[in-house]
Structure formats: C-alpha cells, structure tokens
Amino acid sequence: MIIASLPFALGVVMLGLGLSLTVDDFRRVSRHPKAAVVALLCQLVVMPVICFGLVLAFRLPPELAVGMMLLAASPGGPTANLYSHLFGGNVALNISLTAINSGLVVITLPIVANLSAGYFLPDSATLGLQFDKVLQVFVIVVVPVAVGMLLRTRAPEVAQRLNRPVRGLSVVVLVVVIGAVLYGERANLAGYFVSVGLAVLAFNIVSLLVGYAVPRVAGVDRSAAIAAGFEIGIHNTAFTITVALSPALMNNAEMAIPGAVYGIVMFFTAVAFGWLVTRRRAQESVPDEQTPVELT
C-alpha cells in the first residue's frame, strides 16, 4: 500500500516546492551566474563522479551501489532552503538551484541510473530507467512543480493558504517513507547500516564541503557558497526512495536504503556544517585588536 502510494507522496512534496516558486526564481540565476553554474557543475557532474569513487572504495554490494548513485543524481531537497536561511546563505540562489535541478533530473537521472545499473548489475533484470519510465519520472516530478507554480501565479491567495499545510505534509511524507523503508528492511537493517552507513556519511560530508569550498575557490561570495553547500549536501531523499521502490521504476528495496540512511544523517551533518561556517564567519568579522595610542 505504501509503495503503491509513493509516486503520489512524491507528487505532494514536489507540489509544495512548486508553491514556493515563481518564474522569477529561474530568471534570478542570471543575477548570480557564476554561483549557479559552479553549483550546478558540482551537483550534476562532480558529485556523481565522487560518489562512484566512494562506492568503489567502500566496495558496496551492487544494489546498494546503484542506490548510492541514485542518491547522487537526486536534486536538492526543499529543506536546504530552510538551513540556508538559518545559517546566512543566499536563499534566492537555493530556490533557483532547486527549481532548475528538479527540471534537469528528468534528463540526468536516467543517465546515471542506466550507467550505474549497467556497471554494477550487468547480469540483472534491472535495466535502469527506459524511455517510458522517464516519462513517469517527468509526471511525478515536473508536473506537480508546474501545477504549484501555476497556482501561485494565477491564484496567489489559494497558494498561500496551501503552502504551509503542504510543506508540513511533505515533512510527514518524508518521515513516513523513510520509516516504511527501514521497517520493511528491518531484518537486514543492521547489515545495511554496516555496509552503507560509512559510505553515506562520507558522501554527505564531502557533498557539503565540495558545495561550499569549490564556489569559494571560484570566487563566489560566502552567502552564495553557503547556499550551494546546503543545496548539494541536502538531497531530496523522498525522490531517491520513490525511484528505487516504485514498481514502475527501479522496483528494488535495497536501492532505497542509501536514501533512507542519508535522509537521517543529513539533518545532523547540515547543522554541524552550518555551525562551522557561521562560526568561521563570526571569527573573520572580529576586528583586529587596535594598537593603543600614546597620549602626549
């Protein structure tokens, strides 16, 4: 029952995202082109490559390896906006990146899913995401976002009334989905955590650090770098789990485990990351002690 309702649940999450977006959020990227381009390159190219390296380094079982790659290909989660706001990030950039990635995932996810399944499961019946499945991803991801944006544009009062309850429902959906995955795999849970826990933690920490450090090296201002760090480090795990579990998509419970574990870990690491960058910024803002002036 829960698995059958996963596409609907993800649709609720994406509808909530759409209710917070406008066309201007896409146009806003032109005001921060360097930050947006660097963050997108990190999220779409750098992190899947790093994730692939981590999967090989930790020697994960094939299904968990594919699940990790699905996680790397998933867009940033709406929660990234909240963390960015709390820790001084450029929330407008977060919103823009989330919107763009939620659209691009229809292209990028099938590429990563098919390459991963072909590499790790060459003799398996799992064939990744074919064209008909890509259309289903489009329907459950892009269409609800578009509906939410349309509601905000044409009926702003309705969108405003729906925004808070839909966001709350999105959180409930995420908790229920993760709980259902963990409960369904409870017999193998300890083994899964041993197998994938360290890999997930390493990928999460590296995602946050790369998302922040690479933009800074590229000359992006600190607030935009903080936003990129949260955007790249906080994934839409409900999306990852839905793709892994849905009978019409990957249809594999083991592939959902990395997303479920990541969904728990990322909230704690995000707080630690936010505290570190905020603390560093506070230290840099303290003026140097002035030399006392001699009175004559």
Side-chain angles (χ1 to χ4, degrees):
M1 178 65 180
I2 292 179
I3 292 178
S5 63
L6 278 175
F8 173 77
L10 181 60
V12 171
V13 175
M14 302 313 292
L15 174 64
L17 174 61
L19 290 171
S20 66
L21 296 176
T22 65
V23 176
D24 287 337
D25 294 323
F26 294 89
R27 295 174 181 160
R28 193 181 290 120
V29 174
S30 62
R31 304 173 199 169
H32 308 279
K34 180 188 285 188
V37 170
V38 171
L40 287 171
L41 284 175
C42 287
Q43 191 157 21
L44 300 178
V45 179
V46 176
M47 294 318 304
V49 172
I50 290 177
C51 185
F52 181 73
L54 288 172
V55 164
L56 295 180
F58 282 93
R59 299 180 180 180
L60 295 183
E63 287 79 7
L64 294 180
V66 175
M68 284 287 294
M69 296 306 298
L70 292 177
L71 180 64
S74 66
T79 315
N81 304 343
L82 173 60
Y83 279 100
S84 187
H85 172 71
L86 292 175
F87 293 104
N90 186 330
V91 180
L93 178 62
N94 278 107
I95 294 173
S96 300
L97 290 173
T98 301
I100 293 171
N101 274 321
S102 297
L104 289 177
V105 74
V106 178
I107 300 171
T108 58
L109 176 74
I111 294 174
V112 173
N114 291 334
L115 290 176
S116 302
Y119 183 87
F120 293 108
L121 298 164
D123 300 324
S124 172
T126 301
L127 300 176
L129 297 180
Q130 306 309 312
F131 181 73
D132 59 332
K133 297 181 179 180
V134 173
L135 290 179
Q136 293 181 50
V137 173
F138 178 86
V139 170
I140 64 177
V141 174
V142 177
V143 171
V145 172
V147 170
M149 292 179 64
L150 185 64
L151 272 175
R152 178 164 177 174
T153 302
R154 299 294 180 85
E157 293 182 359
V158 174
Q160 188 174 6
R161 286 199 299 268
L162 288 175
N163 192 22
R164 181 170 294 181
V166 170
R167 282 193 177 192
L169 184 58
S170 298
V171 174
V172 172
V173 166
L174 179 60
V175 172
V176 170
V177 166
I178 292 176
V181 171
L182 296 179
Y183 180 78
E185 294 294 316
R186 62 191 181 281
N188 304 311
L189 202 54
Y192 286 148
F193 267 92
V194 171
S195 300
V196 80
L198 287 178
V200 165
L201 179 62
F203 179 61
N204 182 216
I205 292 173
V206 171
S207 297
L208 289 165
L209 295 179
V210 167
Y212 176 78
V214 172
R216 289 296 287 163
V217 171
V220 172
D221 67 83
R222 186 180 296 278
S223 65
I226 292 173
F230 282 119
E231 190 67 27
I232 294 170
I234 297 179
H235 288 268
N236 191 334
T237 53
F239 172 82
T240 306
I241 294 170
T242 299
V243 171
L245 285 181
S246 293
L249 300 175
M250 302 303 284
N251 193 28
N252 190 299
E254 287 186 57
M255 292 182 187
I257 294 298
V261 175
Y262 197 98
I264 297 171
V265 169
M266 69 181 184
F267 292 109
F268 300 99
T269 53
V271 171
F273 168 76
W275 178 80
L276 285 174
V277 294
T278 304
R279 182 171 177 267
R280 182 177 178 181
R281 182 177 57 184
Q283 289 176 340
E284 292 180 357
S285 65
V286 175
D288 294 334
E289 189 175 350
Q290 296 182 350
T291 304
V293 179
E294 291 185 9
L295 298 176
T296 57

